[in-house]
């Protein structure tokens, strides 16, 4: 082989790696390094501004396992996650199916469901906090209009979770619906035509063709919703009247990330906050894996 042929051979062999290298380099700098450094900090009694950071090993993790406030925050996080992610995925699939029909002004409707995602998260949270206000909130006014009692959305634990989950669903359902819609439009039309010829109803086509062929997209939406739902921060923080990190007077809607923020940037205990971050990371990986396996199994049974 001449030198030109060797150069061409090297170009074909190594150029793809050079093209994708910037992503992995950037990920190593802003993703992998902070993750590993957080694990390192969690092994120390790392006080922000302190002169020394003594090595304590797994002491932060042991303390965390006996911290009642952490477990309260974990239960709050899981409760808000279940109330938001489950209905969010179901409504997103149904909304995508509706947007996939022959609607008038379909582009306007599709843009409309994306508006909550485009709007400022802080602004939306403040608006919803006022809507769920205990005294002059519009939601309580509507409840009184139909003969129901007012609800103190911020003081009662369960109802505060419902209010925060409503904010999350309002913001993310339309975004996920457009992702599912794109996958629906990629399904070959001849599959539906063959089903129509065989006499399959619209419901039968949806459950026997659409849902099974949406399996990869639904798995993606479920996993991303799991990751985002367990890292919720802005909604519960701005839902508090003064924007505090305590999640209410009795920590009734304080999430793990809120508690992590409180420990790291208000109590300045970075070692303890780093340990909390790693525990949350493991929980997210575990729940995302379980959701992935369950979603794939349900979709596979649907194909059968």
């Amino acid at each position: 082989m001449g030198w030109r042929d060797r150069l061409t051979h090297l170009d074909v062999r190594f150029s793809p790696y050079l093209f994708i290298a910037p992503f992995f380099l950037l990920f190593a700098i802003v993703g992998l390094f902070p993750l590993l450094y957080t694990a390192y900090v969690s092994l120390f009694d790392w006080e922000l501004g302190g002169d020394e950071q003594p090595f304590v090993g797994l002491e932060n993790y042991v303390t965390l396992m006996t911290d009642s406030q952490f477990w309260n925050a974990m239960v709050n996080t899981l409760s808000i996650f279940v109330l938001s992610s489950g209905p969010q995925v179901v409504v997103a699939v149904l909304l995508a199916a509706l947007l996939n029909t022959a609607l008038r002004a379909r582009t306007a409707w599709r843009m409309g469901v994306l508006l909550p995602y485009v709007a400022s998260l802080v602004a939306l949270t403040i608006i919803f906090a006022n809507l769920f206000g205990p005294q002059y909130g519009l939601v309580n006014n509507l409840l009184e209009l139909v003969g129901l009692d007012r609800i103190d959305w911020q003081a009662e634990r369960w109802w505060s979770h419902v209010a925060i989950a409503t904010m999350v669903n309002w913001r993310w359902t339309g975004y996920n619906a457009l992702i599912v819609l794109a996958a629906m439009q990629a399904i070959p039309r001849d599959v539906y035509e063959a089903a129509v010829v065989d006499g399959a109803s619209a419901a039968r086509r949806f459950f026997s063709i659409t849902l099974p062929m949406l399996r990869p997209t639904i798995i993606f939406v479920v996993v991303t919703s799991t990751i985002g739902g367990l890292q919720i921060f802005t909604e519960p923080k701005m839902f508090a009247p003064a924007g505090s990190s305590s999640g209410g007077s009795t920590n009734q809607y304080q999430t793990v990330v809120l508690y992590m923020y409180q420990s790291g940037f208000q109590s300045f205990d970075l070692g303890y906050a780093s340990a909390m971050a790693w525990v949350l990371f493991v929980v997210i990986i575990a729940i995302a894996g379980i959701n992935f396996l369950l979603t794939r199994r349900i979709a596979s049974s649907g194909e059968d």
Side-chain angles (χ1 to χ4, degrees), residues 59-80:
E59 183 179 334
N60 285 324
Y61 293 93
V62 174
T63 304
L64 192 64
M65 292 299 102
T66 58
D67 186 352
S68 60
Q69 187 173 352
F70 168 75
W71 290 112
N72 174 74
M74 180 63 72
V75 172
N76 292 340
T77 302
L78 293 176
S79 174
I80 296 172

Side-chain angles (χ1 to χ4, degrees), residues 124-262:
L124 287 176
T125 306
I126 294 175
I127 292 173
F128 270 89
N130 290 324
L131 289 176
F132 287 101
Q135 297 297 328
Y136 307 104
L138 178 62
V139 177
N140 275 337
N141 291 337
L142 293 176
L143 291 177
E144 283 191 334
L145 191 63
V146 297
L148 298 177
D149 295 332
R150 286 179 169 268
I151 297 175
D152 195 339
W153 297 94
Q154 295 170 342
E156 298 185 21
R157 185 177 189 182
W158 164 255
W159 291 115
S160 65
H161 295 183
V162 172
I164 294 172
T166 303
M167 302 181 203
V168 177
N169 289 332
W170 174 264
R171 177 172 170 80
W172 289 101
T173 299
Y175 173 82
N176 290 327
L178 289 185
I179 295 177
V180 177
L181 175 63
M184 281 185 179
Q185 294 184 334
I187 299 175
R189 309 310 302 176
D190 53 356
V191 179
Y192 290 107
E193 294 172 359
V196 171
V197 172
D198 290 339
S201 63
R204 180 68 175 176
R205 294 195 300 270
F206 178 77
F207 288 102
S208 298
I209 297 176
T210 305
L211 284 184
M213 298 191 75
L214 288 177
R215 183 180 66 178
T217 304
I218 293 177
I219 291 175
F220 170 78
V221 170
V222 167
V223 172
T224 54
S225 298
T226 301
I227 296 173
L230 294 175
Q231 293 179 335
I232 185 171
F233 172 77
T234 306
E235 289 87 348
K237 181 169 178 59
M238 300 304 298
F239 188 64
S244 66
S245 302
S246 59
S249 57
T250 59
N251 309 122
Q252 63 267 24
Y253 53 88
Q254 184 183 51
T255 61
V256 175
V257 179
L258 265 180
Y259 186 34
M260 186 192 314
Y261 175 84
Q262 185 182 49

